[in-house]
Amino acid sequence: MATLIDSLNTLFWGYILIYGLLAVGVFFTLRLGFIQIRHFPEFIRTVFKAPQADRGGITPFQALCTSLASRVGTGNLAGVAVALALGGAGAIFWMWVVALIGMATAYAESTLAQLYKVRDQNGQLRGGPAFYISKGLKAPWAGAVFSLALILAFGLVFNAVQANSIAGAMEGAFGIPKLTTGLIIMALAAIVIFGGIRKIARFAEIVVPFMAVAYLLLALFVIAMNITEVPAMFALIFKSAFGIEQAAGGVAGALLNGVKRGLFSNEAGMGSAPNIAAVATPNPHHPSSQGMVQALGVFIDTLLICTATALMILLSGVLGNGESGIVLTQTALSHHIGGAGHYFVAIAIFFFAFTSIIGNYSYAENALTYLKWASKPGIFILRILALAMIPWGAYESVAMVFNAADAAMGLMATINLIAIVLLSGLVVKLTKDYFAQNKTHTPTFNSDDYPEVQKDIDLSVWDEKPKQD
């Protein structure tokens, strides 16, 4: 079993996904006419428009915060440090490139998730890649495989990964036993998770902006303290990326590590964020508007938060001291603000990883709906299993299980990438429709303009226009 899992990971992460995610990002960037650059202001406007009332949906801002809760995790603190240690400063440039082209992929997958969303038996909006794979490609079996892989990876094992990161940081900073931390996290997560998707969204709406803003403010403080050195750091990033200035890992190392860490951090194309994107009631009432919201999430995750971590490490001068991961981030911050840096990183890891647990669970519940297992007993069992993984992951070091999660994520990402490329014509049509309407009035989706999908989408969702609060 271990050999099979290792082989799958080598196939997915060594070949298919590294090149596939990049290729699909470039494909959508070109096919959509550099939408993430030309229409970036519209991305921001769609997040902050007045929410619309829907009896089973959440607001675009809540959907953004929930997807950021999953995206913004240990990768933003530890992952960036790993990229710098292995690939040098140039790795950050390639993380930026991955994020910029990944914004187009994130737009495409979340736009499709919005289009094919449904209302479940409880009146809640549900959707995601499994739904557009099943309905758009007429491949329900592939949707089922995707859903099972997502539940395994995001619903279960990644909770253990995040809990392990929190427990290690808390033990190192405050001396709290790992199992104690795990039990506390489990209890706190239970309060949120048992409240359902809407409570998860409300929690994310409050915690994620606070968490991200606090971290970015600290980064701005560090940058202001070292403002004269900042231009040199940006110059180092660009020079190292192209081999003008020799750095750890060389050009190949910078490229490979930057791409890998960027993809792991922002999740564009993975098929995870569309699960919460589908639950939102968009404003304007058109699938493309929610695609723009989720594309903005990639920008915030990598170009803001990951860059903040990178600059704090580079400005500290501790890169190359043999440390990597979260330890390198802690050392760098301690250099800037003293011993408090060690504790700040531990607290930041707690919030970043805890919100990832909550966001990841919300994806799994959507996948459960597709499999028609989202009865009260089915959701209860999923919640218990998801919560049980937390103390176990906090206490154990389970490399094989983590590898299994990577293999499951690799499988779901591969299926998702194939699906969104095959449905790319529909994404282009939706995009052109949105911006053509936007020139004269607020865009609105009209199912009569899409006869090719009328039989496959939930018309009650789209023809029943929500009223503004």
Side-chain angles (χ1 to χ4, degrees), residues 400-415:
M400 181 182 161
V401 178
F402 294 170
N403 286 339
D406 284 342
M409 187 167 68
L411 176 61
M412 58 179 269
T414 301
I415 294 171

Side-chain angles (χ1 to χ4, degrees), residues 446-459 463:
N446 185 349
S447 62
D448 291 337
D449 295 332
Y450 295 82
E452 68 271 35
V453 300
Q454 268 193 323
K455 292 181 179 178
D456 300 318
I457 63 176
D458 189 339
L459 294 176
D463 291 345

Side-chain angles (χ1 to χ4, degrees), residues 287-303:
S288 286
S289 65
Q290 184 56 33
M292 294 177 211
V293 170
Q294 294 304 323
L296 187 64
V298 173
F299 177 88
I300 294 169
D301 172 87
T302 305
L303 290 163

Side-chain angles (χ1 to χ4, degrees), residues 89-94 96-97 231-245:
I92 304 307
F93 173 83
W94 297 112
W96 294 340
V97 171
M233 294 302 103
F234 277 105
L236 176 64
I237 289 171
F238 284 103
K239 289 177 181 177
S240 300
F242 297 102
I244 298 171
E245 184 166 318

Side-chain angles (χ1 to χ4, degrees), residues 81-402:
V82 169
L84 284 168
L86 297 179
I92 304 307
F93 173 83
W94 297 112
M95 287 184 76
W96 294 340
V97 171
V98 165
L100 281 171
I101 64 172
M103 287 173 71
T105 309
Y107 165 80
E109 61 182 354
S110 289
T111 296
L112 288 169
Q114 264 287 305
L115 178 66
Y116 286 99
K117 67 184 177 181
V118 301
R119 200 180 296 280
D120 68 12
Q121 67 270 26
N122 300 315
Q124 297 290 310
L125 294 176
R126 301 287 190 177
F131 292 81
Y132 59 70
I133 290 167
S134 173
K135 296 174 182 292
L137 298 179
K138 308 294 188 290
W141 64 270
V145 172
F146 177 92
S147 296
L148 289 169
L150 186 146
I151 290 169
L152 172 64
F154 283 84
L156 301 177
V157 181
F158 285 168
N159 287 352
V161 176
Q162 299 291 352
N164 192 273
S165 298
I166 297 173
M170 288 297 170
E171 185 179 52
F174 304 106
I176 302 172
K178 289 184 176 181
L179 184 58
T180 302
T181 298
L183 291 170
I184 292 170
I185 299 166
M186 181 181 71
L188 293 173
I191 294 169
V192 181
I193 285 173
F194 273 94
I197 293 289
R198 293 170 79 93
K199 188 163 186 177
I200 290 170
R202 285 195 294 269
F203 173 83
E205 183 181 30
I206 295 168
V207 175
V208 172
F210 170 78
M211 171 186 75
V213 168
Y215 191 71
L216 289 173
L217 284 175
L218 178 63
L220 287 172
F221 172 72
V222 169
I223 290 168
M225 285 173 54
N226 302 274
I227 193 66
T228 56
E229 299 173 47
V230 171
M233 294 302 103
F234 277 105
L236 176 64
I237 289 171
F238 284 103
K239 289 177 181 177
S240 300
F242 297 102
I244 298 171
E245 184 166 318
Q246 187 58 39
V251 178
L255 174 61
L256 183 61
N257 285 287
V259 169
K260 273 189 175 182
R261 291 303 109 197
L263 294 175
F264 273 117
S265 179
N266 64 53
E267 298 180 12
M270 293 288 183
S272 49
N275 289 278
I276 201 66
V279 181
T281 303
N283 186 16
H285 197 63
H286 191 287
S288 286
S289 65
Q290 184 56 33
M292 294 177 211
V293 170
Q294 294 304 323
L296 187 64
V298 173
F299 177 88
I300 294 169
D301 172 87
T302 305
L303 290 163
L304 293 184
I305 298 175
C306 287
T307 300
T309 301
L311 284 174
M312 286 192 288
I313 292 173
L314 291 173
L315 287 167
S316 71
V318 300
L319 183 63
N321 65 359
E323 293 176 339
S324 184
I326 200 66
V327 176
L328 177 59
T329 307
Q330 285 179 311
T331 302
L333 203 50
S334 295
H335 172 85
H336 293 300
I337 62 174
H342 196 72
Y343 301 113
F344 181 88
V345 171
I347 293 168
I349 277 284
F350 175 85
F351 280 109
F352 278 41
F354 181 75
T355 53
S356 285
I357 290 171
I358 302 303
N360 288 347
Y361 169 78
S362 71
Y363 297 164
E365 194 172 296
N366 251 9
L368 206 68
T369 301
Y370 173 80
L371 294 169
K372 295 183 168 53
W373 296 346
S375 60
K376 286 186 178 180
I379 289 178
F380 180 79
I381 291 169
L382 176 65
R383 288 171 177 171
I384 293 299
L385 290 174
L387 291 169
M389 294 296 286
I390 295 171
W392 178 71
Y395 186 72
E396 297 288 343
S397 177
V398 281
M400 181 182 161
V401 178
F402 294 170

Side-chain angles (χ1 to χ4, degrees), residues 25-97:
V26 171
F27 171 77
F28 277 108
T29 296
L30 295 175
R31 189 137 195 223
L32 296 172
F34 293 87
I35 184 174
Q36 66 270 50
I37 297 171
R38 291 172 53 236
H39 296 291
F40 187 75
E42 185 68 13
F43 286 22
I44 297 172
R45 281 194 291 270
T46 54
V47 174
F48 294 107
K49 286 202 173 194
Q52 293 185 314
D54 185 286
R55 58 193 171 94
I58 61 176
T59 70
F61 184 68
Q62 287 175 329
L64 173 65
C65 290
T66 307
S67 66
L68 279 172
S70 178
R71 281 191 177 108
V72 179
T74 54
N76 296 78
L77 277 75
V80 172
V82 169
L84 284 168
L86 297 179
I92 304 307
F93 173 83
W94 297 112
M95 287 184 76
W96 294 340
V97 171

